[in-house]
């Protein structure tokens, strides 16, 4: 495997930090911390550059908050200056790691995403004779982000990075999660938190690392198991095959690989089912003949639209925000068979001030 050297200077290069700043500020220019950083831009970038050169950089504490959709999850957000550093790392490493991924890995990659993953599955089902007779293995990893082993992750980076300065920075960021949170009862992933495992949900190095970690499973699936119809979106894995028994064998081999090589286990969502029952995949339910938005996704969409309707009536949101949400939902619904749902959602939807 080719190893890459002298990457660290690219990360602290002033122009690289400037473009990292430009990426980090997108959609956030009105936030106070971004405005403060921008007002002292050259000085702030020089400070970051010197901290990286002399290895005095220390990642700031996380700001913690919850999201409840699609499920309750604890997000750990970094201050803006740390996001600039992470963007510089991301922009330097992404072109390198992209060459290592399989085609059918769809999360956190340019030109991929949920809609590409959906269309790939529909392309397969349309092209396979008697697709309705197939079986699907859906494999889901137990609390993935919170169970990634730091030592294993760093060893995977070392397989292709021969740059001790960069490895110092990556290790500092990855291990900065240790002790960042205590036990949070009822929170996804943190009720069994322990030292040496876990990544913060919501930062770029975590996104990059998540794909690098499970790329090991992708390579095993394609090159050792030689699976033809295999795809992954983050920790959601899909395999198609005509034989139910073969998929149970594949499941056993993949679960053994996950545990012995990556210290991960699957959860009770992992199962083998007939394709004719529909495949839950990236927010949609897919059959060989058609695809629909998943019921839980449609319910969240309906609740959100009703909430926007009430907020707009009270003057709490502007039309631009309402329109952005509506257009986003219309764009999502274009990717599946949704005429009835669109009629139900938008047919009688009316936004007016009280």
């Amino acid at each position: 495997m080719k190893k890459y050297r002298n990457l660290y200077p690219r990360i602290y290069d002033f122009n690289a930090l400037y473009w990292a700043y430009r990426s980090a500020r997108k959609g956030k220019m009105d936030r106070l911390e971004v405005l403060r950083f921008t007002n002292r831009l050259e000085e702030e970038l020089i400070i970051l550059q010197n901290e990286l050169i002399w290895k005095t950089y220390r990642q700031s504490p996380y700001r913690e908050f919850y999201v409840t959709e699609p499920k309750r999850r604890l997000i750990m957000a970094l201050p803006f200056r740390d996001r600039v550093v992470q963007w510089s790392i991301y922009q330097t490493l992404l072109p390198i790691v992209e060459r290592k991924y399989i085609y059918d890995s769809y999360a956190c990659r340019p030109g991929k995403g949920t809609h590409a993953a959906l269309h790939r599955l529909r392309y397969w089902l349309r092209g396979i004779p008697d697709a309705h007779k197939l079986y699907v293995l859906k494999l889901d990893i137990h609390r993935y982000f919170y169970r990634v082993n730091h030592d294993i992750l760093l060893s995977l980076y070392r397989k292709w990075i021969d740059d001790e300065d960069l490895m110092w920075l990556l290790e500092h960021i990855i291990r900065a999660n240790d002790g960042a949170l205590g036990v949070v009862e009822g929170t996804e992933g943190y009720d069994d938190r322990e030292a040496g495992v876990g990544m913060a949900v919501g930062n770029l190095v975590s996104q990059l690392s998540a794909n690098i970690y499970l790329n090991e499973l992708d390579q095993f699936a394609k090159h050792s198991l030689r699976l033809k119809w295999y795809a992954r979106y983050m920790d959601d894995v899909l395999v198609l095959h005509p034989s139910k028994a073969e998929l149970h064998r594949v499941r056993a081999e993949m679960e053994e690989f996950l545990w012995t090589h990556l210290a991960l286990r699957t959860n009770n969502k992992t199962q083998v089912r007939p394709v004719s029952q529909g495949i839950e995949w990236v927010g949609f339910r897919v059959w060989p003949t058609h695809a629909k938005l998943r019921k839980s996704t449609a319910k969240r969409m309906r609740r959100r639209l009703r909430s926007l309707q009430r907020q707009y009536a009270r003057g709490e949101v502007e039309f631009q925000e309402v329109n952005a949400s509506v257009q986003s939902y219309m764009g999502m619904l274009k990717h599946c068979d949704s005429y009835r749902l669109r009629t139900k959602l938008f047919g009688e939807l009316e936004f007016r001030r009280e």
Side-chain angles (χ1 to χ4, degrees):
M1 180 180 291
K2 179 180 178 179
K3 289 209 170 190
Y4 293 85
R5 300 176 175 86
N6 301 316
L7 296 173
Y8 192 60
R10 299 190 203 175
I11 290 167
Y12 66 66
D13 176 79
F14 186 86
N15 284 333
L17 290 172
Y18 173 72
W19 286 106
Y21 151 77
R22 292 283 299 266
S23 298
R25 77 177 188 181
K26 286 180 182 177
K28 303 177 179 69
M29 280 297 295
D30 58 342
R31 296 187 181 179
L32 183 59
E33 64 170 343
V34 180
L35 292 171
R36 286 174 174 168
F37 193 97
T38 302
N39 287 338
R40 304 173 64 244
L41 180 59
E42 185 174 0
E43 183 179 351
E44 291 284 2
L45 293 181
I46 290 173
I47 290 171
L48 274 180
Q49 184 182 45
N50 284 327
E51 288 180 4
L52 292 169
I53 290 172
W54 298 106
K55 295 185 181 178
T56 59
Y57 170 76
R58 298 294 180 269
Q59 184 171 276
S60 308
Y62 288 99
R63 177 174 61 88
E64 304 160 17
F65 61 95
Y66 294 98
V67 295
T68 56
E69 298 289 353
K71 58 186 175 182
R72 182 173 168 82
R73 190 183 293 267
L74 186 58
I75 304 298
M76 301 166 65
L78 287 169
F80 184 73
R81 73 188 309 269
D82 298 286
R83 295 202 298 275
V84 172
V85 172
Q86 295 218 3
W87 264 105
S88 190
I89 296 169
Y90 182 79
Q91 292 174 164
T92 301
L93 296 187
L94 184 64
I96 296 171
V97 298
E98 274 290 311
R99 303 169 197 157
K100 304 179 182 300
Y101 297 150
I102 66 169
Y103 180 86
D104 289 306
S105 168
Y106 288 95
C108 306
R109 296 180 62 193
K112 299 290 185 175
T114 56
H115 295 150
L118 170 66
H119 292 309
R120 183 64 162 171
L121 175 58
R122 299 191 73 180
Y123 170 78
W124 284 342
L125 293 175
R126 286 194 297 265
I128 301 171
D130 295 324
H132 63 282
K133 296 180 180 179
L134 293 173
Y135 291 88
V136 59
L137 166 63
K138 282 294 304 303
L139 185 146
D140 197 274
I141 295 169
H142 178 66
R143 295 173 176 172
Y144 173 51
F145 265 84
Y146 310 104
R147 306 308 303 168
V148 168
N149 182 285
H150 297 168
D151 290 335
I152 295 174
L153 175 59
L154 290 166
S155 73
L156 296 178
Y157 273 110
R158 288 187 182 278
K159 285 171 64 173
W160 53 274
I161 292 178
D162 186 11
D163 185 328
E164 288 305 314
D165 292 330
L166 175 53
M167 287 306 306
W168 164 81
L169 180 59
L170 288 171
E171 182 166 7
H172 170 68
I173 291 171
I174 290 166
R175 295 197 189 279
N177 297 333
D178 272 359
L181 290 170
V183 175
V184 183
E185 186 176 356
T187 301
E188 171 69 20
Y190 282 94
D191 54 347
D192 59 353
R193 185 155 174 83
E194 62 186 66
V197 299
M199 298 188 299
V201 177
N203 72 50
L204 282 170
V205 170
S206 290
Q207 291 180 18
L208 194 71
S209 298
N211 265 341
I212 289 169
Y213 207 79
L214 280 185
N215 181 56
E216 299 297 301
L217 178 65
D218 298 342
Q219 301 300 329
F220 175 72
K222 297 300 289 185
H223 300 298
S224 296
L225 299 180
R226 298 187 178 277
L227 300 176
K228 183 177 181 180
W229 298 304
Y230 168 96
R232 178 176 63 83
Y233 184 88
M234 199 49 74
D235 63 329
D236 197 1
V237 174
L238 174 152
V239 186
L240 300 176
H241 200 277
S243 168
K244 183 177 182 180
E246 177 64 12
L247 282 184
H248 279 295
R249 185 191 70 80
V250 166
R251 172 181 177 174
E253 292 218 29
M254 292 176 77
E255 288 180 330
E256 181 181 1
F257 179 88
L258 283 167
W259 178 244
T260 57
H261 290 79
L262 301 175
L264 297 173
R265 296 193 185 277
T266 59
N267 62 27
N268 56 14
K269 295 179 185 177
T270 298
Q271 56 187 311
V272 176
R273 298 178 61 180
V275 165
S276 59
Q277 293 182 7
I279 304 170
E280 294 278 351
W281 181 237
V282 295
F284 298 86
R285 193 168 183 85
V286 186
W287 289 264
T289 54
H290 62 289
K292 292 184 176 181
L293 198 66
R294 195 164 56 187
K295 286 184 179 180
S296 59
T297 307
K299 287 179 180 178
R300 288 198 302 273
M301 190 179 290
R302 187 178 296 112
R303 286 198 303 268
R304 172 61 177 160
L305 287 171
R306 287 176 178 172
S307 175
L308 280 173
Q309 197 173 23
R310 292 191 297 270
Q311 289 176 299
Y312 184 77
R314 296 193 297 263
E316 296 172 359
V317 296
E318 296 302 321
F319 179 76
Q320 290 85 346
E321 183 178 344
V322 171
N323 188 53
S325 292
V326 170
Q327 294 303 321
S328 175
Y329 291 150
M330 290 291 285
M332 181 188 300
L333 291 168
K334 285 194 300 186
H335 293 273
C336 63
D337 303 275
S338 60
Y339 175 78
R340 289 184 180 179
L341 179 59
R342 279 182 284 135
T343 301
K344 189 174 182 179
L345 283 176
F346 303 112
E348 299 179 355
L349 192 66
E350 184 176 4
F351 290 92
R352 61 169 61 185
R353 297 292 193 194
E354 290 179 348

